[in-house]
Amino acid sequence: MKKIMKIIGWTVLIPVLLVILYLSAAYILSRITVKKAPSNGDDITLYILTNGVHTDLVMPVRNSQIDWSKEVLFSNTTSNDTSAQWIAFGWGDKGFYLETPTWADLKFSTAVKAATGLSSSAIHATFYRSLREGSECIKFTTDSAHYAKLITYIRESFDRDEAGNVIHIKTDANYGDADAFYEAKGSYSLFHTCNTWANSGLKYSGQRACLWTPFDKGIFYQYRK
């Protein structure tokens, strides 16, 4: 009997310890700052945007370096609003994006696939006419050289067809009338989340970031302090 109780105890304790270890690592590593690389200017405005869970990287729809609307078409959105000035990119688990509009819709199979990296991923692109700075939307600036790296990072996150075009996911699961989903590279997991992707993009392009984070709070901590 004692042996059985011991086995049950460890069966309960080990998952609890793993959760504590995961959350502790997330907290500690998100507080370690990756400093912004030296910049030759601040002529390009960018934003980080959160819905309270998920971080998007926001940039101009077009400038002298790239016109995103030539790849991520306005016509893929319901509104087809060509007056939008900003475009937000987020990366995440395809099942969560398309099959889980609310937590009440979450399926056990979707959660398991997402946690273990067994499912495919998608990029969520949203157009905005304007953005307002606040606790969930923070502005920062960079130069053209570092923005070029961010462009590369995002473009290489898209999966593409044989002609090199991004692959639009036709779905009714859009969040509004100005967004669309696209096939993406990579797999979501507990260690590579939507926020990890955004944080990695900031690091890759020489922006302030945290060493690692699975949560949006880690990224926003670095920009609020």
Side-chain angles (χ1 to χ4, degrees), residues 54 89-92 97 121-123 184-188 192-194 197:
H54 174 97
F89 291 106
W91 175 97
Y97 270 142
S121 58
I123 286 177
K185 296 177 182 177
S187 296
Y188 185 103
H192 187 243
T193 69
C194 52
W197 176 86

Side-chain angles (χ1 to χ4, degrees), residues 2 18 22 29 60 86 97 106 120 128 147 159 172-173 201 214:
K2 287 183 178 180
L18 289 175
Y22 179 82
L29 296 179
W86 302 94
Y97 270 142
L106 179 61
S120 55
Y128 293 92
Y147 182 47
D159 200 4
D172 294 326

Side-chain angles (χ1 to χ4, degrees), residues 89-109:
F89 291 106
W91 175 97
D93 180 77
K94 187 176 178 180
F96 266 108
Y97 270 142
L98 304 183
E99 301 171 12
T100 314
T102 68
W103 287 112
D105 299 301
L106 179 61
K107 299 176 182 178
F108 179 75
S109 59

Side-chain angles (χ1 to χ4, degrees), residues 198-219:
N199 187 64
S200 295
L202 293 170
K203 285 196 289 187
Y204 183 83
S205 59
Q207 310 309 312
R208 189 191 317 162
C210 47
L211 188 60
W212 176 76
T213 183
F215 305 122
D216 64 330
K217 291 178 176 58
I219 297 173

